[in-house]
């Protein structure tokens, strides 16, 4: 559930009419609901309370400092995958001793940076990486805490580009190889094996992949303990799905039902790395219709948000609900069925690529130049994946809290586009 709602045919974020925000800050505009962010954090905390998990908000989903600050206030820790993300969470005031550092390609500089910050664990993805971590830790005279990332070969049934826990993906190691590395860690004073890590894919809409993965995880914990490891952490990554279309996602409690007893059975600490579940439905993208046109038997709604702002439809064929901010037709519950009073349209941006669309063949009420549209569930992997393609400055970001709101990121201007370029054409 989220705190975006229509009241008398006008879209509100919490108590603020979003049209006011578009008027003040322009479009494209990202609008976040603080209440929704906190609600989602609480849902996970409550569902998993029996094992007091360490919730490491996955910074890659949305790394805006304004979001990280809210997470920090809500008491989450962070999952980072680069030196840049580590820098960001420090800026947000995070306690880095609870941060987990993942990613298949950590550089020596990033490993050093993370050791200096005393991160909770490195999620280690290969033998070569383990060797690099040991070498850097040795040079600093410290012991590096590591979790081995297992590839459990579980099919999470997500898009081919976002599935990570299947054999043949670049992530993690198979259980046999990880077993060999665990022995290596035991013999190396520069390393301490704290736990195991898995991340199955994203977004996941069923419980089964977690049930399968956590069963494998508990078996591995038992095996490692039998080898003499004092190993106490299971990190199950992120991946909890959200409602992009209707009510297709499972509540956090459904995942907890299978994960909590398994974690308790081996008396481990649980870490989770949710990103999308927390921020996905806590953010929307507002845009303004520039033109409409009919061509080739189709209606095109050309608006000012594009694939450089939200690349998910182009990249993953992702579905985002889209509806006018002040609609003439009440929003439906099913956005994929025929809607009376509406007509199918391609909602496209100004970028010079046919792949630049937010939706195709989408039933929409009549819209005209100047109307505002809202693309829902855009909080995760929206701004974080945005670019300046076609030299388009990125939009502003606003955080709403009750009837108050705050600009958390300014709109970029043309100066920002060339700020790092060194060729002056006079
Ligand atoms: N932990 C690890 C190791 C991950 O690789 C990811 C996501 C997460 C946690 C957070 O997953 P979440 O809870 O947000 O599902 N750009 C794609 C999603 C890529 C996910 C990458 N890894 C999209 O827009 O759907």
């Amino acid at each position: 559930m989220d705190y975006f709602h229509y009241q008398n045919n006008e879209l509100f974020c919490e108590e603020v009419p979003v049209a006011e925000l578009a008027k003040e800050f322009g479009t494209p505009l990202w609008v976040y609901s603080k209440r929704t962010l906190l609600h989602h954090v609480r849902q996970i905390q409550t569902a998993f309370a029996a094992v007091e998990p360490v919730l490491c908000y996955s910074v890659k989903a949305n790394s805006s400092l304004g979001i990280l600050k809210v997470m920090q206030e809500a008491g989450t820790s962070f999952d980072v995958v680069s030196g840049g993300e580590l820098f960001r969470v420090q800026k947000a005031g995070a306690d880095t001793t609870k941060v987990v550092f993942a990613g298949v390609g950590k550089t020596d500089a990033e490993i050093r940076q993370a050791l200096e910050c005393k991160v909770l664990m490195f999620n280690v993805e290969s033998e070569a990486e383990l060797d690099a971590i040991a070498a850097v830790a040795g040079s600093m005279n410290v012991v590096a805490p590591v979790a081995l990332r297992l590839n459990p070969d579980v099919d999470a049934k997500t898009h081919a580009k976002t599935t990570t826990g299947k054999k043949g993906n670049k992530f993690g190691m198979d259980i046999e190889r990880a077993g060999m590395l665990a022995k290596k860690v035991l013999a190396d004073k520069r390393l301490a094996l704290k736990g195991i890590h898995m991340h199955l894919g994203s977004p996941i809409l069923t419980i089964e992949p977690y049930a399968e993965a956590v069963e494998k995880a508990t078996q591995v914990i038992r095996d490692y303990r039998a080898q003499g490891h004092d190993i106490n952490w299971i990190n199950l990554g992120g991946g909890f799905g959200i409602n992009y279309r209707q009510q297709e996602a499972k509540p956090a409690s459904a995942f907890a039902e299978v994960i909590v007893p398994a974690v308790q059975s081996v008396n481990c600490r649980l870490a989770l790395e949710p990103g999308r579940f927390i921020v996905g439905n806590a953010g929307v993208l507002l845009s303004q219709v520039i033109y409409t046109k009919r061509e080739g038997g189709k209606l095109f709604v050309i608006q000012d948000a594009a694939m450089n702002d939200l690349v998910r439809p182009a990249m993953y064929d992702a579905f985002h609900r889209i509806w006018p901010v002040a609609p003439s037709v009440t929003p439906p519950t099913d956005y994929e069925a025929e809607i009376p009073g509406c007509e199918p349209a391609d909602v496209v941006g100004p970028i010079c690529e046919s792949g630049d669309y937010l939706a195709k063949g989408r039933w929409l009420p009549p819209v005209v130049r100047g109307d505002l549209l809202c693309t829902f569930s855009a909080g995760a992997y929206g701004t974080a994946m945005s670019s300046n393609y076609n030299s388009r400055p990125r939009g502003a970001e606003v955080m709403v809290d009750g009837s108050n709101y705050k600009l958390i990121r300014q709109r970029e201007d043309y100066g920002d586009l060339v700020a790092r370029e060194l060729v002056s054409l006079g």
Side-chain angles (χ1 to χ4, degrees), residues 103-425:
V104 289
K106 304 174 189 77
T107 64
D108 283 4
E110 288 176 320
I111 294 168
R112 175 173 293 275
Q113 182 188 352
L115 285 170
E116 280 165 359
C117 293
K118 299 188 168 53
V119 295
L120 179 63
M121 280 178 278
F122 290 91
N123 296 335
V124 178
E125 308 244 6
S126 64
E127 181 163 15
E129 183 195 330
L130 188 73
D131 292 344
I133 293 173
V136 176
S139 75
M140 295 169 69
N141 237 340
V142 296
V143 177
V146 297
L148 298 177
R149 176 164 181 180
L150 306 178
N151 181 327
D153 195 21
V154 165
D155 187 0
K157 302 208 163 51
T158 57
H159 191 276
K161 288 185 185 140
T162 57
T163 186
T164 51
K166 260 312 262 169
K167 212 182 182 91
N169 299 138
K170 71 174 176 179
F171 298 100
M173 304 166 255
D174 66 34
I175 290 182
E176 290 71 42
R177 189 187 306 280
M180 280 158 39
L181 289 200
K183 289 201 182 98
K184 194 165 164 176
V185 174
L186 207 51
D188 195 328
K189 290 194 171 51
R190 300 166 299 177
L191 300 169
L193 183 61
K194 297 283 174 198
I196 56 168
H197 174 247
M198 290 181 183
H199 170 76
L200 308 175
S202 168
I204 300 177
L205 295 172
T206 53
I207 307 302
E208 290 73 26
Y210 289 94
E212 236 182 279
V214 80
E215 184 172 334
K216 292 191 180 181
T218 51
Q219 191 49 49
V220 169
I221 292 280
R222 290 193 180 96
D223 291 349
Y224 288 2
R225 283 183 178 156
Q227 284 175 25
H229 288 283
D230 179 20
I231 183 171
N232 293 313
W233 284 91
I234 295 179
N235 180 346
L236 283 179
F240 300 163
I242 62 168
N243 296 324
Y244 279 112
R245 297 166 188 267
Q246 296 186 48
Q247 298 295 316
E248 69 269 28
K250 294 272 184 284
S253 55
F255 296 105
E257 254 169 53
V258 297
I259 295 172
V260 166
V263 170
Q264 283 172 326
S265 74
V266 283
N267 204 13
C268 272
R269 295 291 319 270
L270 175 69
L272 292 169
E273 302 170 345
R276 189 189 315 265
F277 187 92
I278 293 174
V279 77
N281 284 329
V284 301
L285 173 60
L286 299 184
S287 60
Q288 187 166 30
V289 176
I290 311 173
Y291 306 114
T292 59
K293 75 174 200 179
R294 286 178 195 277
E295 206 55 58
K298 278 171 115 176
L299 170 63
F300 292 91
V301 174
I302 304 162
Q303 40 80 67
D304 63 4
M307 67 190 288
N308 75 297
D309 302 297
L310 182 65
V311 77
R312 300 192 70 256
M315 192 152 171
Y316 312 112
D317 307 311
F319 183 97
H320 286 264
R321 295 182 315 282
I322 300 177
W323 205 248
V325 161
S328 55
V329 175
T330 310
T333 45
D334 182 356
Y335 284 77
E336 290 164 278
E338 185 175 337
I339 304 165
C342 294
E343 184 184 343
D346 283 9
V347 181
V348 303
I351 282 184
C352 298
E353 290 214 27
S354 298
D356 177 31
Y357 60 88
L358 297 183
K360 286 205 157 179
R362 189 63 65 80
W363 291 88
L364 280 181
V367 292
V368 297
R369 184 176 165 83
D371 281 356
L372 292 172
L373 294 181
C374 179
T375 300
F376 291 89
S377 309
Y381 307 105
T383 49
M385 295 179 77
S386 63
S387 75
N388 290 126
Y389 188 37
N390 275 206
S391 286
R392 289 169 46 85
R394 270 176 271 236
E397 296 173 53
V398 181
M399 178 74 68
V400 172
D401 181 8
S403 54
N404 298 317
Y405 57 85
K406 197 169 158 189
L407 187 65
I408 60 167
R409 181 176 169 154
Q410 290 177 328
R411 179 174 304 285
E412 289 177 348
D413 61 20
Y414 290 161
D416 293 318
L417 293 179
V418 293
R420 288 279 170 173
E421 294 187 37
L422 300 175
V423 177
S424 165
L425 298 177

